[in-house]
Amino acid sequence: MQDLSTLELMRLTSPPQACSYLPEQTASLEYRIIFAIDPAAYEDLLQRGWRRHGCHFFRPACPACTECRSLRVDVARFRPTKSQRRCLARNTHVRVEIGEPAVSGSHLRLFNTYHADMHERRGWPHKRVTPEEYVESFLVGTWSFAREFRYFDGSRLVGVGLVDEVASGLSSVYFYHEPAWRPLGPGTFSILSEIEHARDTGRPWHYLGYWIAGCASMSYKARFGPHELLLCDPPDGEQPLWQPDSPAR
């Protein structure tokens, strides 16, 4: 396996700031800046609670809070709930394609439309992304494991899911969609599509990122089960401990 210390361009911890998930808490992130990593080394990071966004690998380093818990779905034992089965039925017209991540006019239109909607709905900062900014955020670096789930309604691109694929599982990186698709549950449908792909390719885990028990916007992740939660964020070389947890069915 690659020696991660030789791959990092920089390692830092962000200054403490107000947490966007738990307002009463103070948040901080530990970052590793890496532009190329092999799938086995990245898989080792995933198992220890690290996430990837472009060339930024990060995990919580909050001074007085450990509420962020890495969650992974047990793919072989997963069974969709009644609500999730209804979501699948509502989206039978949606076609899914899997390929390498890319950028196009359709990507940019969809990304900017989605963020404009989230600005109106949830007060997200609004800024139209350029092709260069999109590449910098999602595509820069050498990632043989990076995949893109493209969702089409007819010939129209209505959703894009950026996903990492390693030997033992998939990791959801980022998902954005056409606002008009929202009533049919695109977020749930995208996760179900990724779990199905993991099962079809024999991968036992699907990493959904961080789950916070006291955060309503994170609660949906616990509905995909059975799943496991990482007990703590161990350093490189230390065995990670994952604990089975009952799903909120």
Side-chain angles (χ1 to χ4, degrees):
M1 185 184 298
Q2 291 174 305
D3 181 356
L4 292 176
S5 64
T6 66
L7 302 177
E8 295 175 5
L9 275 70
M10 185 182 300
R11 190 164 184 171
L12 55 90
T13 301
S14 64
Q17 59 183 353
C19 179
S20 57
Y21 299 110
L22 298 174
E24 71 280 7
Q25 296 292 345
T26 300
S28 182
L29 290 173
E30 181 182 7
Y31 285 98
R32 305 167 91 148
I33 311 302
I34 304 173
F35 280 91
I37 188 172
D38 68 29
Y42 177 46
E43 185 173 6
D44 196 61
L45 289 177
L46 277 176
Q47 292 171 354
R48 286 162 177 75
W50 291 90
R51 306 290 297 162
R52 184 182 76 87
H53 197 283
C55 63
H56 295 87
F57 293 72
F58 61 91
R59 68 182 183 183
C62 305
C65 178
T66 57
E67 289 299 309
C68 284
R69 305 283 300 280
S70 293
L71 183 151
R72 66 184 187 183
V73 179
D74 185 335
V75 171
R77 296 175 60 211
F78 172 77
R79 297 294 182 271
T81 64
K82 183 177 181 180
S83 174
Q84 290 164 355
R85 292 195 298 271
R86 288 198 297 265
C87 179
L88 288 171
R90 290 195 299 267
N91 288 282
T92 54
H93 63 290
V94 177
R95 175 170 52 91
V96 185
E97 292 183 0
I98 304 173
E100 294 184 0
V103 62
S104 67
S106 295
H107 284 76
L108 295 174
R109 172 197 62 79
L110 187 62
F111 186 88
N112 286 322
T113 300
Y114 171 75
H115 276 260
D117 179 65
M118 294 304 286
H119 170 69
E120 295 296 326
R121 289 171 50 84
R122 297 188 181 177
W124 286 15
H126 180 46
K127 179 179 181 296
R128 292 188 63 82
V129 69
T130 66
E132 294 77 15
E133 290 168 336
Y134 189 94
V135 169
E136 181 179 351
S137 293
F138 297 114
L139 308 183
V140 69
T142 303
W143 321 115
S144 62
F145 45 76
R147 303 289 181 266
E148 182 177 271
F149 283 58
R150 294 182 284 271
Y151 299 87
F152 292 89
D153 186 347
S155 61
R156 182 176 175 83
L157 183 70
V158 294
V160 172
L162 296 162
V163 178
D164 289 334
E165 184 178 70
V166 296
S168 66
L170 268 61
S171 173
S172 295
V173 176
Y174 198 78
F175 176 67
Y176 57 94
H177 61 82
E178 180 71 54
W181 188 19
R182 181 180 297 277
L184 301 186
T188 296
F189 181 69
S190 70
I191 294 175
L192 293 172
S193 299
E194 292 168 13
I195 292 174
E196 180 181 11
H197 177 71
R199 176 175 286 153
D200 290 345
T201 56
R203 290 176 164 86
W205 304 108
H206 183 36
Y207 293 84
L208 291 184
Y210 303 119
W211 170 76
I212 303 173
C215 178
S217 66
M218 292 278 198
S219 63
Y220 73 92
K221 297 181 182 183
R223 300 187 189 117
F224 296 87
H227 58 258
E228 294 187 347
L229 298 172
L230 186 62
L231 289 181
C232 63
D233 294 332
D236 297 350
E238 184 174 307
Q239 184 69 23
L241 297 175
W242 289 85
Q243 179 184 50
D245 196 70
S246 300
R249 306 298 279 178

